[in-house]
């Protein structure tokens, strides 16, 4: 029998990669804090109906990619494929609108989609997302986009282009769809089966088809902006003006409709020119009627999510190791000094390891260097003194060792 492997489309992150993960997550939390966003945590599985009625039955996510199962009582549950629907559910369930008009929320967690795995596309992936709930103001759309860009810049990622489009509102959507259908009617038979079905059920979704045989037919598509109502025009213009005022250059992508049905007006993606086909690291948009459609009060909202795995591929910052102290003894009888010195250092938030076996000085120093220790302490055979090796070496009475190390070693930052 072969050895067990990760299930297809999933990955392990080993200790050489997890510091980068932590840095990204910490940076995201820090940026969200600057904008006064607060964390929300929801379950990893929800009732299937929540996703079918919010993301939309014609989307690939709902029609092909959900991990759905029956529990022991026969209830249909689904591993969450994204975070927004669950946040909307939670907002309604806990009547957050009664606790304030405006809610700024963020979340971090695994999502699940049964997709065909490839570089940057997994079946379990982690999203970090924000939801700005309670305001129809185009300034909020611009603010979440700026927040995403600031996050990526802070992580040293360049070459990120915000692509924007508008997908209209319930008033102008029928006009958009009609124009789209008129344009596609003559080529309908050349399009894939999904596109043909969506022609009748959800024409806008056709633009989300990724099949190379269909994409050429979308190139001369009438620009959605020519079909939207005046209010949607004004909204889009104001988003662009806010972004322009902030010095953000955007690309208008008239075919960007996003893979989820709950969007209205602004739809956007932050796209990297350094990733291959899965070049969208971040996607989002406005979803003014999702919460009311799920049974909540009218609560306009806008948000985004980015994929941790795609971001990991772009950040190549070398993470500086946390300075560490190595402690060893030359005589087994003095091991208890190593043990207690290490604990005293940790009490002072200094990272420390101690070696159990008595070794020669050279033996310890080799081990210390293998562990990347910034400073090594060897307890001397008299048990009364210790030698500290850093750039130079100094032998001190045991009573002074702790104070000396504290003075010369930076504390480990709190997470
Ligand atoms: P989404 O575009 O489906 O939007 O996903 C957001 C991001 O999650 C993508 O840009 C990508 O980085 C990452 N992602 C998606 N699928 C995968 C995958 N299979 N493997 C790796 N990474 C992936 C949403 O999920 C919306 N809920 C975003 C949003 C929040 N809209 C408003 N608020």
């Amino acid at each position: 029998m072969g050895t067990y492997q990760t299930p297809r489309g999933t990955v392990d992150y080993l200790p050489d990669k997890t510091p980068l993960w932590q840095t990204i997550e910490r940076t995201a939390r820090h940026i969200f804090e600057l904008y006064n966003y607060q964390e929300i945590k929801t379950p990893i599985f929800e009732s299937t109906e929540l996703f079918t009625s919010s993301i939309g039955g014609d989307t690939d996510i709902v029609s092909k990619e959900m991990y759905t199962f029956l529990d022991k009582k026969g209830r249909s549950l689904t591993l969450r494929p994204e975070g927004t629907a669950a946040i909307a559910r939670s907002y309604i369930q806990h009547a957050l609108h009664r606790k304030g008009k405006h809610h700024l929320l963020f979340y971090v967690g695994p999502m699940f989609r049964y997709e065909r795995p490839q570089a940057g596309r997994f079946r379990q992936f982690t999203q970090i997302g924000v939801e700005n709930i309670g305001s129809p103001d185009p300034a909020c759309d611009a603010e979440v986009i700026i927040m995403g860009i600031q996050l990526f810049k802070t992580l040293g990622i360049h070459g990120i282009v915000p692509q924007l489009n508008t997908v209209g509102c319930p008033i102008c959507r029928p006009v958009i769809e009609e124009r789209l259908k008129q344009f596609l009617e003559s080529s309908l038979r050349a399009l894939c089966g999904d596109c043909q079905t969506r022609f009748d059920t959800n024409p806008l979704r056709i633009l989300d088809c990724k099949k190379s045989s269909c994409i050429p037919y979308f190139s001369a598509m009438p620009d959605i902006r020519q079909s939207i109502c005046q209010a949607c025009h004004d909204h889009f213009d104001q988003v662009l003006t806010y972004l322009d005022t902030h010095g953000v250059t955007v690309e208008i992508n008239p075919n960007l409709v996003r893979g989820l049905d709950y969007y209205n007006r602004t739809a956007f993606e932050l796209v990297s020119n350094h990733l291959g086909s899965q070049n969208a690291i971040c996607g989002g948009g406005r979803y003014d009627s999702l919460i009311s459609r799920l049974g909540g009060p009218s609560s306009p909202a806008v948000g985004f999510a980015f994929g941790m795995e795609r971001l990991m591929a772009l950040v190549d910052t070398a993470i500086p190791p946390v300075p560490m102290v190595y402690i060893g003894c030359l005589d087994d009888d003095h091991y208890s000094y190593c043990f207690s010195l290490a604990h005293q250092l940790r009490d002072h938030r200094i990272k420390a390891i101690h070696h159990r076996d008595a070794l020669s000085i050279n033996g310890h120093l080799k081990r210390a260097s293998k562990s990347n220790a910034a400073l090594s302490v060897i307890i001397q055979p008299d048990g009364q003194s210790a030698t500290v090796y850093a750039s130079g070496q100094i032998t001190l009475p045991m009573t002074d060792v702790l104070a000396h190390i504290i003075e010369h070693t930076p504390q480990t930052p709190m997470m």
Side-chain angles (χ1 to χ4, degrees):
M1 196 180 85
T3 52
Y4 294 112
Q5 303 285 316
T6 49
R8 188 164 144 75
T10 67
V11 277
D12 291 330
Y13 281 96
L14 300 181
D16 63 330
K17 285 283 186 297
T18 50
L20 178 58
W21 181 295
Q22 294 300 339
T23 300
I24 294 173
E25 191 173 326
R26 236 189 346 260
T27 308
R29 287 173 181 276
H30 172 70
I31 300 286
F32 299 160
E33 180 81 53
L34 296 178
Y35 289 77
N36 198 29
Y37 278 65
Q38 294 179 307
E39 187 169 13
I40 179 165
K41 286 179 177 290
T42 61
I44 281 174
F45 57 85
E46 299 270 354
S47 74
T48 302
E49 210 187 318
L50 172 67
F51 299 117
T52 50
S53 56
S54 55
I55 299 170
D58 292 311
T59 62
D60 281 351
I61 297 179
V62 167
S63 64
K64 300 174 187 165
E65 297 170 359
M66 296 211 300
Y67 280 91
T68 296
F69 58 97
L70 295 180
D71 73 3
K72 289 188 193 301
K73 286 265 170 71
R75 289 170 287 228
S76 182
L77 299 170
T78 293
L79 298 184
R80 60 182 182 192
E82 59 105 45
T84 310
I87 307 301
R89 192 265 312 133
S90 182
Y91 177 90
I92 299 166
Q93 182 175 338
H94 301 286
L96 290 188
H97 63 284
R98 295 214 193 102
K99 298 180 181 141
K101 200 169 168 298
H102 209 164
H103 292 266
L104 305 176
L105 305 169
F106 79 88
Y107 53 94
V108 178
M111 309 290 159
F112 304 85
R113 294 183 193 175
Y114 192 83
E115 295 200 71
R116 197 168 49 77
Q118 53 177 272
R121 197 200 274 167
F122 302 95
R123 289 183 175 170
Q124 176 178 329
F125 56 98
T126 296
Q127 276 188 352
I128 299 191
V130 300
E131 310 296 353
N132 178 324
I133 305 177
S135 168
D137 190 341
C140 295
D141 311 33
E143 187 171 282
V144 296
I145 295 170
I146 290 168
M147 179 159 58
I149 294 172
Q150 183 177 1
L151 169 58
F152 298 138
K153 276 198 181 143
T154 309
L155 288 166
I157 302 173
H158 301 284
I160 298 293
V161 184
Q163 291 193 349
L164 257 73
N165 196 18
T166 175
V167 290
C169 68
I171 293 169
C172 51
R173 184 67 63 83
V175 183
I176 299 171
E177 291 181 339
E178 199 40 50
R179 284 250 178 99
L180 206 78
K181 285 175 81 165
Q182 279 168 12
F183 175 82
L184 286 173
E185 202 153 26
S186 55
S187 38
L188 191 58
R189 288 178 54 193
L191 298 180
C192 70
D194 281 346
C195 285
Q196 291 185 18
T197 310
R198 288 166 179 173
F199 186 84
D200 294 317
T201 58
N202 192 346
L204 202 58
R205 188 115 312 287
I206 294 178
L207 290 184
D208 197 42
C209 181
K210 303 285 183 293
K211 292 201 181 72
S212 52
S213 52
C214 295
I215 289 170
Y217 292 96
F218 308 150
S219 59
M221 194 78 84
D223 191 327
I224 292 177
R225 284 175 300 165
Q226 290 160 3
S227 317
I228 56 176
C229 62
Q230 191 56 45
C232 285
H233 252 301
D234 293 346
H235 187 94
F236 196 57
D237 280 351
Q238 286 179 56
V239 175
L240 294 179
T241 306
Y242 278 116
L243 291 172
D244 187 51
T245 312
H246 196 72
V248 178
T249 312
V250 304
E251 261 175 28
I252 307 295
N253 177 350
N255 286 359
L256 180 77
V257 292
R258 311 264 306 119
L260 307 106
D261 275 352
Y262 48 62
Y263 293 115
N264 65 294
R265 295 194 167 159
T266 317
F268 67 90
E269 284 182 347
L270 301 184
V271 173
S272 161
N273 46 24
H274 298 302
L275 287 174
S277 57
Q278 304 303 311
N279 61 355
I281 0 170
C282 176
R286 179 160 277 289
Y287 53 95
D288 291 337
S289 32
L290 174 63
I291 292 174
S292 53
R293 266 198 293 115
L294 291 176
S298 165
S299 309
V302 59
F304 72 67
F306 69 84
M308 180 62 112
E309 291 76 5
R310 288 190 195 169
L311 208 54
M312 293 274 287
L314 283 174
V315 187
D316 60 2
T317 323
I319 307 297
V322 175
M324 182 176 73
V325 176
Y326 174 98
I327 309 162
C329 57
L330 304 171
D331 178 334
D332 207 33
D333 290 348
H334 297 133
Y335 170 67
S336 61
Y337 290 110
C338 303
F339 186 87
S340 75
L341 182 58
H343 282 285
Q344 284 171 306
L345 287 170
R346 293 167 191 149
D347 282 345
H348 286 83
R349 292 217 338 262
I350 290 176
K351 181 172 171 179
I353 54 169
H354 51 88
H355 189 62
R356 180 68 188 83
D357 301 328
L359 298 174
S360 66
I361 292 179
N362 267 348
H364 277 308
L365 294 181
K366 268 192 199 147
R367 274 182 182 270
S369 127
K370 223 173 149 186
S371 323
N372 287 322
L375 193 144
S376 310
V377 185
I378 311 294
I379 314 291
Q380 290 300 320
D382 59 9
Q384 304 296 312
S385 58
T387 305
V388 179
Y389 298 83
S391 42
Q393 79 183 67
I394 181 170
T395 300
L396 297 164
M398 280 304 285
T399 45
D400 296 346
V401 173
L402 180 65
H404 179 87
I405 302 175
I406 291 171
E407 193 183 326
H408 291 90
T409 317
Q411 286 186 324
T412 301
M414 291 293 252
M415 289 296 209

